[in-house]
Amino acid sequence: MALTTPPLGYPVPTARHAVSVQLPTWSDMCDFAAGDPRVKSAQRTGYPRSFLHKDVVEVSNAILRRFHSNDSVLVYLSAASASACRTAMEKNGDKAAASQIVIRVIEANINSVDQADLAGSLVYLHAVFFPKTLSPEALTFWRLTGLGISSRLAEACLKYLGSVREAWMPGTMTAQLAPTKSGTVSRNRVCTRIVDLLQRAPLDPQAVEGLTADDVYLYQTGMAAIYHVHQLLLAWRGTESVVFGFPYELTLKLLEEYGPRTRFYGFGTEEEIDDLEAYLALEAKEDRTVQAVWCECPSNPLLRTPNYARLRRLADQYGFAIVVDETIGSFANVDMFGVADIVVTSLTKSFNGFADVMAGSIILNPSKPYYQDLKKLMSLNYASEIYDGDIAQLELNSRSFLARATKINTSASSLVDHLYAQSKAPNSSITAVYYPTVCWSTENYRAQMRHNTPEFNPGYGGLFTLEFDTVAASEAFFNALNVHKGPSLGAQVTLAQPYVQTVFSKEKPWAAKYGLRETIVRISVGLENQEELLKAFQVAVYEADKIKLSPLRSNL
């Protein structure tokens, strides 16, 4: 079922590498989450970690044909990523099937991003062949870690896979792509841009004065960055992790899956900091400590911010690292360098801004006590796995980051002000609005906001969540809302997602314990005209309110 009119403003990205999905109706998205063949067979693309891009599939099929294999295959750029995939299947899958896993190194040529740079460059693809019965375990690893090849790299590889050959490489080889001048320039520009953003209007200038581009590490996805932070911490300390506040769902699942242990405080309140402090004191008596506390600023999807000043004091007292994912707040709005040992970001989102590149970053904080230890480990293990074509597009798109952030901040705050006021009306179907300005943790967020400058005034980001009184009202709102529908955030188009229905379709009671009800709709605001957006939301809320005022209809 399609919308009768096209969604507002910018069109859905038509690039082969777009990461958003247009599934216009509530039932379509719920059916997709439940694995309904009707929707899966109709869907042409989706978020790349959850839905294999057709070019990635074609690369896999070409490799299978080349080796006359009846197995399945997933493709990675590094031996380490391929080996980690095999280990995950061996751990979680059938042991007899796992004994048949084979990793082959495939050599091919691809065009350089800059034709004046090199006529072409070698690429080594690490292909993991496995029995089809291990597909659930293999695809879970692909989705959780984000380590697979990108669709843009797959597209480049497809031109040459007819003549690929199996290559021998020393096990110590870490370079997967021959270096190109253009790729190096783009990487340096992105890393320098991130440093410039972190040093712009800081809360504490001393915290960022020693930061350089060498402290920024780029990865092929945001989840790949999170995965590598976790691996870094395990190599450093190898003890328990703490997740404080309800995070992006895959962050928690990744930490739990790749252990050893994860302790979860799902509300992020002052009372939970009290509980954490008591736990740390008990652990200290046994001469133990956690390796890290993971947080977001603000959290996804309820936009809450913990008391970072208290958490930092605990980190200093008990000797652990703080990892902050600031993807939602973004480099533009919040400054986490006063509290975080490591800042991790999904560059796929607002930094890129156009839903056509996947990327992530890790930033080590030189002003924090464990910097030298972590830096040494990173220098031993880091190998870039982000394709030149992806980094070139990321560099281009991110040039407009602050200008886009200004518009998105303004539009989102305006929409929230209107919808929050509307939620107070006696017959409103909206029962709650989640956004940093209308949250119990507002002051915690404001404590992390950057200073105003002539070029940019920090705001509260482009993500907010609406909660309705019934599923029927949520569905009516969602179906009537004339914007794009799908996952991801930070794009040039506004995206709406029935968050619990799609993300926690099999875990609704568990999510509800932490305040995530099946009646919520998450909104990521884009660059459309602000007045047109407001009108679209007014129409959709009107349809939801009609459900509330029609008890008979809501029970149908």
Side-chain angles (χ1 to χ4, degrees), residues 230-277:
H230 189 44
Q231 295 302 306
L232 171 67
L233 294 169
L234 290 173
W236 170 60
R237 186 70 65 75
T239 58
E240 186 176 35
S241 297
V242 171
V243 176
F244 195 82
F246 201 99
Y248 173 55
E249 50 115 8
L250 291 189
T251 299
L252 179 60
K253 289 178 179 177
L254 185 149
L255 298 183
E256 290 176 336
E257 176 64 25
Y258 302 110
R261 300 178 305 280
T262 303
R263 193 172 184 86
F264 181 41
Y265 296 88
F267 296 96
T269 59
E270 294 293 317
E271 291 77 15
E272 285 195 328
I273 296 183
D274 293 339
D275 292 343
L276 173 62
E277 184 170 11

Side-chain angles (χ1 to χ4, degrees), residues 478-543:
F478 183 83
N479 290 344
L481 184 61
N482 189 29
V483 301
H484 295 287
K485 312 294 172 66
S488 198
L489 54 96
Q492 79 275 35
V493 294
T494 296
L495 291 164
Q497 179 183 11
Y499 195 80
V500 169
Q501 300 284 0
T502 53
V503 174
F504 295 112
S505 62
K506 298 178 182 179
E507 303 166 285
K508 289 180 183 179
W510 177 82
K513 288 197 308 184
Y514 297 100
L516 280 78
R517 298 175 179 85
E518 61 180 328
T519 59
I520 65 173
V521 178
R522 194 190 71 175
I523 306 294
S524 171
V525 176
L527 299 175
E528 298 95 337
N529 177 275
Q530 184 176 320
E531 299 218 347
E532 290 183 1
L533 269 179
L534 179 57
K535 290 177 183 176
F537 275 83
Q538 288 174 329
V539 169
V541 171
Y542 174 75
E543 292 299 319

Side-chain angles (χ1 to χ4, degrees), residues 327-517:
T327 299
I328 307 302
S330 83
F331 302 133
N333 297 312
V334 297
D335 176 8
M336 305 312 304
F337 256 53
V339 296
D341 296 84
I342 302 173
V343 173
V344 63
T345 305
S346 174
L347 302 176
T348 306
K349 310 304 193 299
S350 60
F351 183 79
N352 175 61
F354 292 93
D356 60 352
V357 175
M358 302 281 280
S361 65
I362 295 171
I363 309 159
L364 300 183
N365 187 343
S367 71
K368 290 296 177 278
Y370 306 117
Y371 171 77
Q372 292 297 337
D373 292 341
L374 297 173
K375 183 77 173 177
K376 182 178 180 180
L377 286 168
M378 283 293 284
S379 67
L380 292 173
N381 298 307
Y382 176 65
S384 177
E385 294 183 48
I386 186 167
Y387 170 51
D388 283 357
D390 290 314
I391 198 69
Q393 191 64 47
L394 179 68
E395 191 281 318
L396 177 65
N397 290 352
S398 62
R399 295 176 189 179
S400 62
F401 173 54
L402 284 182
R404 287 184 281 104
T406 295
K407 183 172 179 60
I408 287 171
N409 282 343
T410 301
S411 293
S413 290
S414 176
L415 282 170
V416 166
D417 288 346
H418 175 83
L419 293 166
Y420 184 72
Q422 198 161 354
S423 72
K424 301 304 179 184
N427 294 320
S428 177
S429 58
I430 301 173
T431 58
V433 180
Y434 299 98
Y435 192 63
T437 58
V438 290
C439 181
W440 57 260
S441 63
T442 297
E443 293 308 312
N444 292 340
Y445 181 91
R446 288 177 177 158
Q448 304 305 139
M449 290 178 74
R450 295 184 178 277
H451 297 305
N452 291 343
T453 65
E455 63 174 343
F456 184 82
N457 291 333
Y460 298 89
L463 196 74
F464 67 89
T465 297
L466 300 176
E467 181 179 302
F468 293 86
D469 60 344
T470 63
V471 170
S474 302
E475 181 173 0
F477 168 84
F478 183 83
N479 290 344
L481 184 61
N482 189 29
V483 301
H484 295 287
K485 312 294 172 66
S488 198
L489 54 96
Q492 79 275 35
V493 294
T494 296
L495 291 164
Q497 179 183 11
Y499 195 80
V500 169
Q501 300 284 0
T502 53
V503 174
F504 295 112
S505 62
K506 298 178 182 179
E507 303 166 285
K508 289 180 183 179
W510 177 82
K513 288 197 308 184
Y514 297 100
L516 280 78
R517 298 175 179 85

Side-chain angles (χ1 to χ4, degrees), residues 107-186:
E107 180 185 282
N109 281 297
I110 60 172
N111 281 338
S112 171
V113 174
D114 183 353
Q115 290 298 324
D117 185 356
L118 289 172
S121 60
L122 287 176
V123 58
Y124 293 96
L125 303 177
H126 294 72
V128 184
F129 291 75
F130 55 91
K132 289 181 172 61
T133 55
L134 292 174
S135 291
E137 291 79 13
L139 292 173
T140 294
F141 178 85
W142 179 283
R143 178 171 180 257
L144 272 181
T145 66
L147 296 175
I149 63 169
S150 74
S151 59
R152 193 172 272 104
L153 175 56
E155 181 185 15
C157 289
L158 282 173
K159 299 175 184 177
Y160 298 96
L161 280 175
S163 60
V164 297
R165 65 184 181 87
E166 187 166 9
W168 175 88
M169 291 198 317
T172 57
M173 184 171 183
T174 57
Q176 287 77 48
L177 289 169
T180 64
K181 293 178 183 177
S182 58
T184 300
V185 168
S186 294

